[in-house]
Amino acid sequence: AQKVTQAQTEISVVEKEDVTLDCVYETRDTTYYLFWYKQPPSGELVFLIRRNSFDEQNEISGRYSWNFQKSTSSFNFTITASQVVDSAVYFCALSDPGRDDKIIFGKGTRLHILP
Amino acid sequence: DTEVTQTPKHLVMGMTNKKSLKCEQHMGHRAMYWYKQKAKKPPELMFVYSYEKLSINESVPSRFSPECPNSSLLNLHLHALQPEDSALYLCASSHPLTGQETQYFGPGTRLLVL
């Protein structure tokens, strides 16, 4: 069964600390896509990254980086030198095999960055 | 530009009211989605329109009625809702379905049913 597990329900760190959000997935497909979205208190889901299963290179975008490891079925997200504006709920998501229009969301990790 | 707009931002309605939520995008996306999100939960898919045709209805009660008048607009008509329907309603859009394209979300409508 397709599944996304974000074991960390809530994390609090002090500003400028690094923080890693974990995402573990299960899928029967060999071709699939993984996503991360950010949802600040305003409610909008902000797209952060999309990665296909054939591209295992790590990605860095400013203070954000992603570590994709197929061997452990994980797609972890690290924020370096966190800032208060990073406070949000972060969702990891997985494409639903055979359903191009559907993605499966994890339950989300609520991140608090304390000043 | 990856903007999806939604109106209204907030809506309070009684159980006998009829109201509509609106969603608009001008990115040339031909797939549009409605999601419902309860507090502290992930979004749940309700409907998908592909090329202006309803392709997915995730067993949503008939008191929710979607409409896609053209490729840029998506409506959600609400009638005889229940208090448990109070939630954040999110609209999203994506490119033609060529292999799990990224869905871009709007800011949502916060709905309260009294």
Side-chain angles (χ1 to χ4, degrees):
Chain A
Q2 284 60 247
K3 189 178 174 183
V4 176
T5 301
Q6 295 181 256
Q8 304 148 309
T9 305
E10 203 157 343
I11 301 174
S12 294
V13 300
V14 177
E15 198 174 17
K16 297 184 184 177
E17 287 185 357
D18 299 347
V19 58
T20 295
L21 309 182
D22 298 332
C23 174
V24 174
Y25 62 92
E26 296 174 33
T27 181
R28 63 174 185 266
D29 259 10
T30 54
T31 302
Y32 53 88
Y33 295 83
L34 293 159
F35 306 82
W36 275 96
Y37 285 89
K38 172 184 179 181
Q39 189 172 38
S42 59
E44 180 175 359
L45 272 163
V46 178
F47 165 71
L48 296 178
I49 190 169
R50 169 178 176 256
R51 177 52 54 90
N52 76 54
S53 52
F54 297 107
D55 182 1
E56 288 193 72
Q57 284 194 358
N58 291 330
E59 175 103 5
I60 298 176
S61 176
R63 296 184 296 107
Y64 294 172
S65 62
W66 290 269
N67 184 348
F68 178 30
Q69 292 199 340
K70 286 178 76 170
S71 60
T72 56
S73 296
S74 65
F75 187 42
N76 296 337
F77 172 34
T78 298
I79 301 175
T80 303
S82 60
Q83 300 177 2
V84 172
V85 294
D86 297 325
S87 297
V89 179
Y90 290 86
F91 291 99
C92 181
L94 168 69
S95 56
D96 194 339
R99 294 273 308 265
D100 283 346
D101 48 15
K102 188 168 182 179
I103 54 177
I104 300 163
F105 285 93
K107 293 187 176 180
T109 297
R110 185 173 297 272
L111 177 63
H112 301 277
I113 308 297
L114 308 172
Chain B
D1 182 15
T2 55
E3 187 179 23
V4 176
T5 59
Q6 289 186 244
T7 55
K9 289 186 179 178
H10 301 274
L11 179 62
V12 180
M13 61 186 290
M15 289 190 283
T16 58
N17 291 158
K18 284 185 181 181
K19 297 285 185 184
S20 296
L21 309 184
K22 296 184 184 302
C23 173
E24 189 167 3
Q25 57 86 16
H26 295 287
M27 295 179 280
H29 291 173
R30 300 306 295 274
M32 296 185 77
Y33 311 75
W34 280 116
Y35 286 85
K36 174 182 178 180
Q37 186 179 22
K38 301 285 276 185
K40 300 193 176 183
K41 298 287 187 183
E44 296 175 28
L45 184 64
M46 300 175 71
F47 302 104
V48 180
Y49 272 82
S50 177
Y51 292 90
E52 295 88 70
K53 290 189 186 332
L54 183 64
S55 61
I56 300 290
N57 176 340
E58 293 284 298
S59 303
V60 178
S62 59
R63 57 186 184 269
F64 294 91
S65 174
E67 178 196 18
C68 190
N70 60 55
S71 59
S72 301
L73 293 174
L74 185 66
N75 298 322
L76 186 62
H77 302 298
L78 314 173
H79 175 54
L81 294 193
Q82 304 296 310
E84 59 264 29
D85 297 321
S86 299
L88 177 68
Y89 288 84
L90 292 160
C91 174
S93 70
S94 66
H95 278 290
L97 305 177
T98 56
Q100 202 56 63
E101 298 293 341
T102 299
Q103 293 182 25
Y104 294 94
F105 287 80
T109 294
R110 291 193 187 276
L111 174 66
L112 177 62
V113 182
L114 300 176

